[in-house]
Tab-separated table of all heavy atoms in Angstrom:
chain	number	residue	atom	x	y	z
A	174	ILE	N	-6.484	0.031	-6.910
A	174	ILE	CA	-7.560	0.795	-6.296
A	174	ILE	C	-6.970	2.069	-5.719
A	174	ILE	O	-5.915	2.085	-5.102
A	174	ILE	CB	-8.290	-0.028	-5.213
A	174	ILE	CG1	-9.523	0.726	-4.677
A	174	ILE	CG2	-7.353	-0.443	-4.082
A	174	ILE	CD1	-10.412	-0.110	-3.783
A	175	LEU	N	-7.679	3.185	-5.946
A	175	LEU	CA	-7.298	4.489	-5.425
A	175	LEU	C	-8.374	4.962	-4.475
A	175	LEU	O	-9.564	4.911	-4.815
A	175	LEU	CB	-7.131	5.494	-6.588
A	175	LEU	CG	-6.180	5.054	-7.727
A	175	LEU	CD1	-6.228	6.091	-8.846
A	175	LEU	CD2	-4.774	4.877	-7.198
A	176	ILE	N	-7.975	5.421	-3.291
A	176	ILE	CA	-8.898	5.890	-2.260
A	176	ILE	C	-8.505	7.302	-1.891
A	176	ILE	O	-7.321	7.557	-1.626
A	176	ILE	CB	-8.857	4.991	-1.026
A	176	ILE	CG1	-9.076	3.512	-1.393
A	176	ILE	CG2	-9.884	5.427	0.021
A	176	ILE	CD1	-8.796	2.533	-0.274
A	177	PHE	N	-9.465	8.243	-1.892
A	177	PHE	CA	-9.127	9.655	-1.664
A	177	PHE	C	-10.338	10.438	-1.235
A	177	PHE	O	-11.487	10.003	-1.478
A	177	PHE	CB	-8.534	10.262	-2.950
A	177	PHE	CG	-9.402	10.069	-4.178
A	177	PHE	CD1	-10.288	11.060	-4.578
A	177	PHE	CD2	-9.302	8.909	-4.930
A	177	PHE	CE1	-11.079	10.885	-5.703
A	177	PHE	CE2	-10.103	8.702	-6.065
A	177	PHE	CZ	-10.978	9.704	-6.447
A	178	PRO	N	-10.152	11.599	-0.597
A	178	PRO	CA	-11.303	12.446	-0.244
A	178	PRO	C	-11.951	12.976	-1.518
A	178	PRO	O	-11.278	13.259	-2.508
A	178	PRO	CB	-10.647	13.598	0.554
A	178	PRO	CG	-9.335	13.076	1.005
A	178	PRO	CD	-8.893	12.140	-0.071
A	179	PRO	N	-13.280	13.120	-1.522
A	179	PRO	CA	-13.987	13.461	-2.766
A	179	PRO	C	-13.741	14.876	-3.269
A	179	PRO	O	-14.058	15.180	-4.431
A	179	PRO	CB	-15.456	13.294	-2.388
A	179	PRO	CG	-15.493	13.425	-0.916
A	179	PRO	CD	-14.220	12.857	-0.401
A	180	HIS	N	-13.130	15.761	-2.440
A	180	HIS	CA	-12.877	17.126	-2.899
A	180	HIS	C	-11.636	17.252	-3.785
A	180	HIS	O	-11.388	18.295	-4.358
A	180	HIS	CB	-12.734	18.086	-1.709
A	180	HIS	CG	-11.566	17.776	-0.832
A	180	HIS	ND1	-11.691	17.122	0.367
A	180	HIS	CD2	-10.230	17.995	-1.006
A	180	HIS	CE1	-10.492	16.970	0.906
A	180	HIS	NE2	-9.592	17.480	0.093
A	181	ILE	N	-10.837	16.199	-3.889
A	181	ILE	CA	-9.574	16.282	-4.658
A	181	ILE	C	-9.887	16.300	-6.159
A	181	ILE	O	-10.559	15.429	-6.690
A	181	ILE	CB	-8.652	15.110	-4.309
A	181	ILE	CG1	-8.145	15.251	-2.867
A	181	ILE	CG2	-7.477	15.041	-5.279
A	181	ILE	CD1	-7.182	14.177	-2.445
A	182	LEU	N	-9.348	17.314	-6.814
A	182	LEU	CA	-9.525	17.417	-8.254
A	182	LEU	C	-8.721	16.345	-8.975
A	182	LEU	O	-7.586	16.050	-8.630
A	182	LEU	CB	-9.043	18.809	-8.729
A	182	LEU	CG	-9.875	20.012	-8.302
A	182	LEU	CD1	-9.123	21.310	-8.556
A	182	LEU	CD2	-11.206	20.017	-9.038
A	183	HIS	N	-9.313	15.745	-10.006
A	183	HIS	CA	-8.618	14.727	-10.779
A	183	HIS	C	-9.232	14.623	-12.166
A	183	HIS	O	-10.319	15.141	-12.427
A	183	HIS	CB	-8.687	13.390	-10.055
A	183	HIS	CG	-10.053	12.893	-9.770
A	183	HIS	ND1	-10.870	13.450	-8.809
A	183	HIS	CD2	-10.776	11.892	-10.322
A	183	HIS	CE1	-12.022	12.815	-8.770
A	183	HIS	NE2	-12.019	11.881	-9.688
A	184	GLY	N	-8.537	13.950	-13.045
A	184	GLY	CA	-9.002	13.777	-14.411
A	184	GLY	C	-8.090	12.807	-15.129
A	184	GLY	O	-7.155	12.250	-14.554
A	185	THR	N	-8.338	12.599	-16.419
A	185	THR	CA	-7.511	11.719	-17.229
A	185	THR	C	-7.172	12.390	-18.550
A	185	THR	O	-7.853	13.336	-18.978
A	185	THR	CB	-8.155	10.365	-17.515
A	185	THR	OG1	-9.335	10.561	-18.325
A	185	THR	CG2	-8.567	9.645	-16.240
A	186	TYR	N	-6.133	11.887	-19.185
A	186	TYR	CA	-5.743	12.347	-20.520
A	186	TYR	C	-6.482	11.523	-21.567
A	186	TYR	O	-6.981	10.437	-21.279
A	186	TYR	CB	-4.243	12.177	-20.700
A	186	TYR	CG	-3.409	12.784	-19.600
A	186	TYR	CD1	-2.934	11.992	-18.555
A	186	TYR	CD2	-3.112	14.146	-19.593
A	186	TYR	CE1	-2.172	12.554	-17.527
A	186	TYR	CE2	-2.339	14.709	-18.571
A	186	TYR	CZ	-1.883	13.910	-17.550
A	186	TYR	OH	-1.148	14.461	-16.539
A	187	PRO	N	-6.595	12.043	-22.817
A	187	PRO	CA	-7.173	11.205	-23.881
A	187	PRO	C	-6.409	9.887	-24.001
A	187	PRO	O	-5.197	9.876	-24.158
A	187	PRO	CB	-7.009	12.065	-25.137
A	187	PRO	CG	-7.001	13.484	-24.594
A	187	PRO	CD	-6.288	13.395	-23.280
A	188	GLN	N	-7.121	8.785	-23.913
A	188	GLN	CA	-6.471	7.481	-23.790
A	188	GLN	C	-6.060	6.934	-25.156
A	188	GLN	O	-6.522	7.362	-26.215
A	188	GLN	CB	-7.411	6.497	-23.090
A	188	GLN	CG	-8.611	6.078	-23.947
A	188	GLN	CD	-9.411	4.999	-23.251
A	188	GLN	OE1	-10.051	5.239	-22.234
A	188	GLN	NE2	-9.415	3.819	-23.826
A	189	THR	N	-5.196	5.939	-25.090
A	189	THR	CA	-4.755	5.279	-26.292
A	189	THR	C	-5.776	4.204	-26.737
A	189	THR	O	-6.795	4.017	-26.077
A	189	THR	CB	-3.374	4.605	-26.035
A	189	THR	OG1	-3.504	3.692	-24.946
A	189	THR	CG2	-2.319	5.639	-25.701
A	190	LYS	N	-5.447	3.524	-27.800
A	190	LYS	CA	-6.342	2.499	-28.339
A	190	LYS	C	-6.500	1.356	-27.345
A	190	LYS	O	-5.524	0.912	-26.730
A	190	LYS	CB	-5.782	1.972	-29.653
A	190	LYS	CG	-6.674	0.999	-30.374
A	190	LYS	CD	-6.086	0.608	-31.713
A	190	LYS	CE	-7.012	-0.354	-32.449
A	190	LYS	NZ	-6.420	-0.733	-33.766
A	191	GLY	N	-7.711	0.882	-27.175
A	191	GLY	CA	-7.987	-0.187	-26.237
A	191	GLY	C	-9.153	0.149	-25.335
A	191	GLY	O	-9.803	1.188	-25.521
A	192	ILE	N	-9.432	-0.675	-24.342
A	192	ILE	CA	-10.544	-0.475	-23.411
A	192	ILE	C	-9.997	-0.055	-22.063
A	192	ILE	O	-9.068	-0.681	-21.532
A	192	ILE	CB	-11.373	-1.749	-23.245
A	192	ILE	CG1	-12.000	-2.154	-24.597
A	192	ILE	CG2	-12.482	-1.551	-22.211
A	192	ILE	CD1	-12.995	-1.169	-25.135
A	193	ARG	N	-10.533	1.015	-21.516
A	193	ARG	CA	-10.209	1.439	-20.157
A	193	ARG	C	-11.512	1.464	-19.375
A	193	ARG	O	-12.403	2.260	-19.669
A	193	ARG	CB	-9.557	2.823	-20.180
A	193	ARG	CG	-9.163	3.349	-18.798
A	193	ARG	CD	-8.560	4.763	-18.946
A	193	ARG	NE	-8.037	5.271	-17.699
A	193	ARG	CZ	-8.758	5.921	-16.788
A	193	ARG	NH1	-10.048	6.116	-17.016
A	193	ARG	NH2	-8.225	6.371	-15.676
A	194	GLN	N	-11.639	0.592	-18.392
A	194	GLN	CA	-12.860	0.529	-17.588
A	194	GLN	C	-12.515	0.686	-16.119
A	194	GLN	O	-11.597	0.046	-15.608
A	194	GLN	CB	-13.594	-0.794	-17.797
A	194	GLN	CG	-14.907	-0.852	-17.022
A	194	GLN	CD	-15.688	-2.140	-17.246
A	194	GLN	OE1	-15.201	-3.054	-17.912
A	194	GLN	NE2	-16.889	-2.208	-16.701
A	195	THR	N	-13.271	1.541	-15.453
A	195	THR	CA	-13.114	1.741	-14.011
A	195	THR	C	-14.432	1.487	-13.301
A	195	THR	O	-15.512	1.628	-13.891
A	195	THR	CB	-12.649	3.163	-13.682
A	195	THR	OG1	-13.600	4.117	-14.200
A	195	THR	CG2	-11.274	3.453	-14.271
A	196	PHE	N	-14.329	1.121	-12.042
A	196	PHE	CA	-15.468	1.031	-11.126
A	196	PHE	C	-15.277	2.136	-10.109
A	196	PHE	O	-14.218	2.239	-9.491
A	196	PHE	CB	-15.509	-0.324	-10.460
A	196	PHE	CG	-16.624	-0.511	-9.474
A	196	PHE	CD1	-17.889	0.014	-9.680
A	196	PHE	CD2	-16.418	-1.232	-8.299
A	196	PHE	CE1	-18.930	-0.160	-8.771
A	196	PHE	CE2	-17.440	-1.404	-7.365
A	196	PHE	CZ	-18.678	-0.874	-7.622
A	197	ASN	N	-16.291	2.985	-9.965
A	197	ASN	CA	-16.174	4.172	-9.130
A	197	ASN	C	-17.268	4.185	-8.084
A	197	ASN	O	-18.446	3.938	-8.411
A	197	ASN	CB	-16.293	5.441	-9.994
A	197	ASN	CG	-15.401	5.376	-11.219
A	197	ASN	OD1	-14.266	5.840	-11.204
A	197	ASN	ND2	-15.909	4.808	-12.292
A	198	VAL	N	-16.920	4.480	-6.860
A	198	VAL	CA	-17.901	4.520	-5.757
A	198	VAL	C	-17.597	5.726	-4.896
A	198	VAL	O	-16.439	6.017	-4.578
A	198	VAL	CB	-17.856	3.244	-4.892
A	198	VAL	CG1	-18.975	3.278	-3.859
A	198	VAL	CG2	-17.963	1.991	-5.744
A	199	ASP	N	-18.658	6.444	-4.522
A	199	ASP	CA	-18.561	7.515	-3.525
A	199	ASP	C	-19.256	7.049	-2.256
A	199	ASP	O	-20.277	6.352	-2.307
A	199	ASP	CB	-19.244	8.783	-4.002
A	199	ASP	CG	-18.462	9.523	-5.075
A	199	ASP	OD1	-17.224	9.292	-5.153
A	199	ASP	OD2	-19.065	10.313	-5.821
A	200	TYR	N	-18.681	7.435	-1.112
A	200	TYR	CA	-19.267	7.099	0.177
A	200	TYR	C	-19.419	8.362	1.016
A	200	TYR	O	-18.551	9.255	0.979
A	200	TYR	CB	-18.360	6.149	0.957
A	200	TYR	CG	-18.182	4.772	0.336
A	200	TYR	CD1	-17.053	4.501	-0.438
A	200	TYR	CD2	-19.135	3.762	0.515
A	200	TYR	CE1	-16.868	3.259	-1.004
A	200	TYR	CE2	-18.959	2.518	-0.050
A	200	TYR	CZ	-17.834	2.261	-0.815
A	200	TYR	OH	-17.641	1.045	-1.389
A	201	ASN	N	-20.486	8.429	1.766
A	201	ASN	CA	-20.617	9.417	2.841
A	201	ASN	C	-20.014	8.810	4.116
A	201	ASN	O	-20.142	7.613	4.335
A	201	ASN	CB	-22.074	9.809	3.085
A	201	ASN	CG	-22.599	10.737	2.015
A	201	ASN	OD1	-21.844	11.463	1.394
A	201	ASN	ND2	-23.902	10.686	1.803
A	202	ILE	N	-19.403	9.637	4.930
A	202	ILE	CA	-18.911	9.212	6.229
A	202	ILE	C	-19.907	9.678	7.294
A	202	ILE	O	-20.351	10.834	7.269
A	202	ILE	CB	-17.538	9.812	6.540
A	202	ILE	CG1	-16.485	9.302	5.538
A	202	ILE	CG2	-17.088	9.500	7.978
A	202	ILE	CD1	-15.115	9.895	5.725
A	203	PHE	N	-20.285	8.780	8.206
A	203	PHE	CA	-21.218	9.158	9.267
A	203	PHE	C	-20.739	8.573	10.576
A	203	PHE	O	-20.094	7.516	10.589
A	203	PHE	CB	-22.634	8.698	8.943
A	203	PHE	CG	-22.785	7.202	8.829
A	203	PHE	CD1	-23.146	6.447	9.931
A	203	PHE	CD2	-22.536	6.543	7.630
A	203	PHE	CE1	-23.270	5.061	9.829
A	203	PHE	CE2	-22.662	5.159	7.510
A	203	PHE	CZ	-23.033	4.421	8.634
A	204	PRO	N	-21.020	9.247	11.699
A	204	PRO	CA	-20.591	8.713	12.997
A	204	PRO	C	-21.426	7.524	13.410
A	204	PRO	O	-22.640	7.476	13.144
A	204	PRO	CB	-20.799	9.909	13.951
A	204	PRO	CG	-21.886	10.694	13.284
A	204	PRO	CD	-21.694	10.547	11.824
A	205	ILE	N	-20.805	6.554	14.049
A	205	ILE	CA	-21.549	5.412	14.593
A	205	ILE	C	-21.233	5.257	16.058
A	205	ILE	O	-20.135	5.585	16.510
A	205	ILE	CB	-21.211	4.103	13.837
A	205	ILE	CG1	-19.687	3.836	13.870
A	205	ILE	CG2	-21.686	4.165	12.415
A	205	ILE	CD1	-19.299	2.526	13.204
A	206	ILE	N	-22.188	4.761	16.803
A	206	ILE	CA	-21.983	4.563	18.218
A	206	ILE	C	-21.945	3.046	18.436
A	206	ILE	O	-22.938	2.401	18.782
A	206	ILE	CB	-23.112	5.209	19.068
A	206	ILE	CG1	-23.238	6.691	18.702
A	206	ILE	CG2	-22.856	5.020	20.539
A	206	ILE	CD1	-24.395	7.380	19.362
A	207	LYS	N	-20.794	2.505	18.166
A	207	LYS	CA	-20.598	1.053	18.326
A	207	LYS	C	-19.169	0.819	18.764
A	207	LYS	O	-18.267	1.595	18.477
A	207	LYS	CB	-20.872	0.315	16.992
A	207	LYS	CG	-22.350	0.285	16.616
A	207	LYS	CD	-22.564	-0.599	15.408
A	207	LYS	CE	-24.050	-0.675	15.057
A	207	LYS	NZ	-24.291	-1.562	13.873
A	208	SER	N	-18.955	-0.293	19.418
A	208	SER	CA	-17.615	-0.606	19.883
A	208	SER	C	-16.776	-1.311	18.818
A	208	SER	O	-15.589	-1.473	18.959
A	208	SER	CB	-17.685	-1.510	21.124
A	208	SER	OG	-18.391	-2.709	20.825
A	209	SER	N	-17.436	-1.745	17.733
A	209	SER	CA	-16.705	-2.416	16.650
A	209	SER	C	-17.210	-1.901	15.315
A	209	SER	O	-18.263	-1.272	15.226
A	209	SER	CB	-16.875	-3.935	16.728
A	209	SER	OG	-18.248	-4.253	16.638
A	210	LEU	N	-16.498	-2.199	14.254
A	210	LEU	CA	-16.858	-1.720	12.935
A	210	LEU	C	-18.064	-2.454	12.399
A	210	LEU	O	-18.265	-3.621	12.660
A	210	LEU	CB	-15.668	-1.914	11.959
A	210	LEU	CG	-14.434	-1.124	12.294
A	210	LEU	CD1	-13.353	-1.436	11.253
A	210	LEU	CD2	-14.694	0.362	12.313
A	211	ASN	N	-18.858	-1.746	11.585
A	211	ASN	CA	-19.999	-2.317	10.939
A	211	ASN	C	-19.768	-2.279	9.445
A	211	ASN	O	-19.702	-1.194	8.872
A	211	ASN	CB	-21.256	-1.526	11.305
A	211	ASN	CG	-22.485	-2.059	10.603
A	211	ASN	OD1	-22.452	-3.163	10.036
A	211	ASN	ND2	-23.556	-1.320	10.657
A	212	TYR	N	-19.629	-3.420	8.809
A	212	TYR	CA	-19.348	-3.442	7.362
A	212	TYR	C	-20.603	-3.626	6.522
A	212	TYR	O	-20.532	-3.667	5.311
A	212	TYR	CB	-18.392	-4.602	7.047
A	212	TYR	CG	-17.083	-4.521	7.787
A	212	TYR	CD1	-16.649	-5.553	8.606
A	212	TYR	CD2	-16.252	-3.416	7.620
A	212	TYR	CE1	-15.452	-5.470	9.275
A	212	TYR	CE2	-15.056	-3.339	8.295
A	212	TYR	CZ	-14.648	-4.358	9.106
A	212	TYR	OH	-13.445	-4.269	9.764
A	213	SER	N	-21.733	-3.741	7.154
A	213	SER	CA	-22.951	-4.018	6.387
A	213	SER	C	-23.522	-2.728	5.827
A	213	SER	O	-23.145	-1.630	6.217
A	213	SER	CB	-23.987	-4.685	7.278
A	213	SER	OG	-24.321	-3.864	8.373
Side-chain angles (χ1 to χ4, degrees):
I174 186 170
L175 307 175
I176 307 170
F177 53 94
H180 63 258
I181 291 182
L182 292 166
H183 58 287
T185 64
Y186 308 97
Q188 71 174 68
T189 58
K190 186 176 181 180
I192 299 295
R193 181 181 186 274
Q194 182 178 6
T195 58
F196 177 39
N197 311 268
V198 185
D199 286 339
Y200 296 98
N201 284 334
I202 296 177
F203 62 93
I205 57 177
I206 305 174
K207 289 187 178 181
S208 58
S209 59
L210 295 180
N211 178 12
Y212 301 122
S213 60

